[in-house]
Amino acid sequence: MQESNYSVNNFEQCIKCTICTAYCPVVPVNPLYPGPKQAGPDGERLRLKNPFFYDENLKYCMNCKRCENACPSGVKIADIIHSARKKYSSARPSLRDRILAGTDFMGAVARPVAPVVNAVMATDLAKVAMDSFLGVDKHRSFPKYQFKGFEGWFRRNARKAQAEYPNQVAFFHGCSTEFQHPEVGKAFVSVMNALGYGVQLIDEQCCGVAMISNGLWKAAEKHARHNIETFSKTDLPIVTTASTCTFTMRDEYPDILGVDNSAVRDRITLVEKFIYEKVDDGKVKLVFKPDFKARVAYHIPCHMEKLGWSIFTRRLLEAIPGMNLTILDSGCCGIAGTYGFKKENYKYSQAIGKPLFEQIASVHPEYVTCECDTCKWQIEMSTGYKVLNPILILAEALDLEATSRANAAQ
Ligand code: SF4
Ligand code: SF4
């Protein structure tokens, strides 16, 4: 495994234009945050002279990467900030941070008693207790755990048939598909099968993004190493339905955690990109239902902006006859994974997301779509509109039997 690239970060490329500051969603709402220029390249110059200049307020960076997208000099601003947190911060993760970061552990604990956990978490008493004793804001609502997960469904209903398909993919389904939204994994399997691809599950662990956000660096590195080793054992494409998992495994593993993923990085992809490229190459056909109709607003998550892959989702959705699609203005929803769950961040989180929530209300779609589950939770809680992963829309819009026949005849 390679060493962290912290020592070769490119802060010296900064030309001090302050464009990053104009694009940072935290700066206008939180006076405590120094902003990307000061927290990133400017701060780095000082920290290298003397670690005394490290500022614990760097914790307010949401790692949305909007500053990096805007920077004309290609400075890896957010990577510099999070590498500095990793190197200099003396703050230790609290119990709250560990609970929020332990997505797979918490899911496994909650699942056997999911109805009870869901009912208790929805009560005012539990919310006030978590606010007072843990620091999880009482206004936040929690996604519901499912009693039956995706992997169990796959083993019982789908695994046997997968070997019959002429092509294969490995599916990294992530924690939320396993514990909260198994319907996303089921839709993935049905669409991939209709396209002539069998689905293989792999020995995955949580991508570790919540551990990175909460300063659990060693645990995040452990998960990263495990996943890269698992991916190395297959030569199949590693396909996901979640934009942040994809981005984390492709870019955060080497850039923040110092875990070398070069042998597998190019095989880690998002399902919309995978399908679009196969259609574009003439390798698969999509047959849509003639009577499907929907009025949908597409929110592009921050990490989709960073990947530059929203065009694939957009083109696929636009290809659906009967689709009335609005592309929402590019903007952060404010949740940033676990960031918006924290009491100290809640008001900033909601202020950041407000323009997006207002635009959704003005568009008044039947539902919203986006590839990120925490964006989904934030938008559903803050607007009341339902949010669906694009693979659910594709699974519903496709005539799966006709698509299967079309691809079998290829
Ligand atoms: S990653 Fe996002 S929150 Fe952090 S400095 Fe950049 S724009 Fe601001
Ligand atoms: S946008 Fe880039 S070049 Fe401009 S101040 Fe920010 S880091 Fe420096």
Side-chain angles (χ1 to χ4, degrees), residues 37-186:
K37 178 172 171 287
Q38 278 178 271
D42 287 0
E44 189 66 1
R45 284 190 180 85
L46 296 171
R47 291 188 291 264
L48 287 177
K49 283 184 189 148
N50 190 334
F52 167 80
F53 291 107
Y54 176 74
D55 179 355
E56 290 290 353
N57 285 328
L58 267 58
K59 71 181 178 188
Y60 289 115
C61 171
M62 299 193 298
N63 203 20
C64 66
K65 310 284 184 187
R66 288 185 176 268
C67 51
E68 293 188 8
N69 277 350
C71 176
S73 297
V75 180
K76 297 184 117 184
I77 309 159
D79 290 351
I80 292 170
I81 292 169
H82 287 277
S83 296
R85 285 183 58 216
K86 185 177 170 193
K87 185 168 182 181
Y88 298 116
S89 177
S90 57
R92 291 287 156 261
S94 64
L95 176 62
R96 183 265 321 263
D97 298 343
R98 290 176 190 280
I99 290 172
L100 290 175
T103 51
D104 45 3
F105 175 74
M106 292 308 296
V109 169
R111 179 157 59 195
V113 284
V116 178
V117 170
N118 294 337
V120 170
M121 299 275 272
T123 61
D124 288 345
L125 188 63
K127 288 186 178 190
V128 169
M130 282 194 291
D131 186 292
S132 307
F133 299 117
L134 281 179
V136 175
D137 196 277
K138 61 176 179 282
H139 299 99
R140 187 59 63 190
S141 55
F142 294 89
K144 294 202 172 0
Y145 288 106
Q146 300 296 318
F147 187 54
K148 291 186 175 175
F150 167 69
E151 285 189 8
W153 171 86
F154 183 84
R155 271 196 305 276
R156 287 189 300 277
N157 300 287
R159 185 169 63 185
K160 237 168 145 182
Q162 299 308 307
E164 293 164 17
Y165 293 92
N167 307 296
Q168 298 289 319
V169 294
F171 179 33
F172 182 95
H173 56 70
C175 306
S176 64
T177 293
E178 178 58 25
F179 297 113
Q180 282 116 351
H181 306 295
E183 71 278 6
V184 171
K186 294 175 192 176

Side-chain angles (χ1 to χ4, degrees), residues 13-20 37 41 71-73 75 77:
Q13 285 174 217
C14 173
I15 56 169
K16 299 187 180 293
C17 65
T18 68
I19 288 173
C20 53
K37 178 172 171 287
C71 176
S73 297
V75 180
I77 309 159

Side-chain angles (χ1 to χ4, degrees), residues 36-349:
K37 178 172 171 287
Q38 278 178 271
D42 287 0
E44 189 66 1
R45 284 190 180 85
L46 296 171
R47 291 188 291 264
L48 287 177
K49 283 184 189 148
N50 190 334
F52 167 80
F53 291 107
Y54 176 74
D55 179 355
E56 290 290 353
N57 285 328
L58 267 58
K59 71 181 178 188
Y60 289 115
C61 171
M62 299 193 298
N63 203 20
C64 66
K65 310 284 184 187
R66 288 185 176 268
C67 51
E68 293 188 8
N69 277 350
C71 176
S73 297
V75 180
K76 297 184 117 184
I77 309 159
D79 290 351
I80 292 170
I81 292 169
H82 287 277
S83 296
R85 285 183 58 216
K86 185 177 170 193
K87 185 168 182 181
Y88 298 116
S89 177
S90 57
R92 291 287 156 261
S94 64
L95 176 62
R96 183 265 321 263
D97 298 343
R98 290 176 190 280
I99 290 172
L100 290 175
T103 51
D104 45 3
F105 175 74
M106 292 308 296
V109 169
R111 179 157 59 195
V113 284
V116 178
V117 170
N118 294 337
V120 170
M121 299 275 272
T123 61
D124 288 345
L125 188 63
K127 288 186 178 190
V128 169
M130 282 194 291
D131 186 292
S132 307
F133 299 117
L134 281 179
V136 175
D137 196 277
K138 61 176 179 282
H139 299 99
R140 187 59 63 190
S141 55
F142 294 89
K144 294 202 172 0
Y145 288 106
Q146 300 296 318
F147 187 54
K148 291 186 175 175
F150 167 69
E151 285 189 8
W153 171 86
F154 183 84
R155 271 196 305 276
R156 287 189 300 277
N157 300 287
R159 185 169 63 185
K160 237 168 145 182
Q162 299 308 307
E164 293 164 17
Y165 293 92
N167 307 296
Q168 298 289 319
V169 294
F171 179 33
F172 182 95
H173 56 70
C175 306
S176 64
T177 293
E178 178 58 25
F179 297 113
Q180 282 116 351
H181 306 295
E183 71 278 6
V184 171
K186 294 175 192 176
F188 176 88
V189 174
S190 63
V191 171
M192 295 311 290
N193 287 175
L195 300 180
Y197 283 82
V199 174
Q200 303 296 323
L201 299 194
I202 45 180
D203 177 26
E204 67 174 65
Q205 286 185 353
C206 166
C207 70
V209 66
M211 294 167 180
I212 294 172
S213 306
N214 287 284
L216 290 148
W217 309 108
K218 282 205 163 54
E221 281 177 32
K222 207 169 149 205
H223 280 228
R225 290 205 167 86
H226 174 93
N227 285 332
I228 297 307
E229 205 179 309
T230 296
F231 300 168
S232 303
K233 290 177 186 161
T234 174
D235 56 2
L236 297 176
I238 314 294
V239 187
T240 84
T241 49
S243 46
T244 290
C245 300
T246 311
F247 169 71
T248 300
M249 296 189 296
R250 284 175 59 94
D251 293 342
E252 303 288 69
Y253 282 6
D255 291 347
I256 292 183
L257 298 178
V259 173
D260 183 5
N261 65 356
S262 54
V264 301
R265 181 179 183 273
D266 291 347
R267 286 192 285 118
I268 304 171
T269 190
L270 194 68
V271 63
E272 288 78 20
K273 180 173 189 285
F274 181 84
I275 295 175
Y276 178 87
E277 289 174 344
K278 295 294 173 203
V279 172
D280 201 41
D281 289 347
K283 291 187 174 145
V284 302
K285 288 196 172 114
L286 306 176
V287 183
F288 292 104
K289 292 171 186 161
D291 55 349
F292 178 86
K293 285 205 177 351
R295 205 159 38 77
V296 179
Y298 175 31
H299 163 64
I300 304 170
C302 296
H303 292 156
M304 278 300 276
E305 292 282 19
K306 179 62 176 158
L307 285 163
W309 291 357
S310 62
I311 189 68
F312 302 114
T313 301
R314 181 177 174 166
R315 289 281 179 263
L316 283 179
L317 294 176
E318 285 172 343
I320 301 172
M323 170 62 70
N324 180 341
L325 187 69
T326 301
I327 311 297
L328 297 166
D329 292 343
S330 179
C332 179
C333 73
I335 190 74
T338 60
Y339 184 96
F341 281 82
K342 299 177 181 179
K343 193 173 175 176
E344 67 272 25
N345 295 339
Y346 179 78
K347 67 177 177 193
Y348 305 128
S349 169

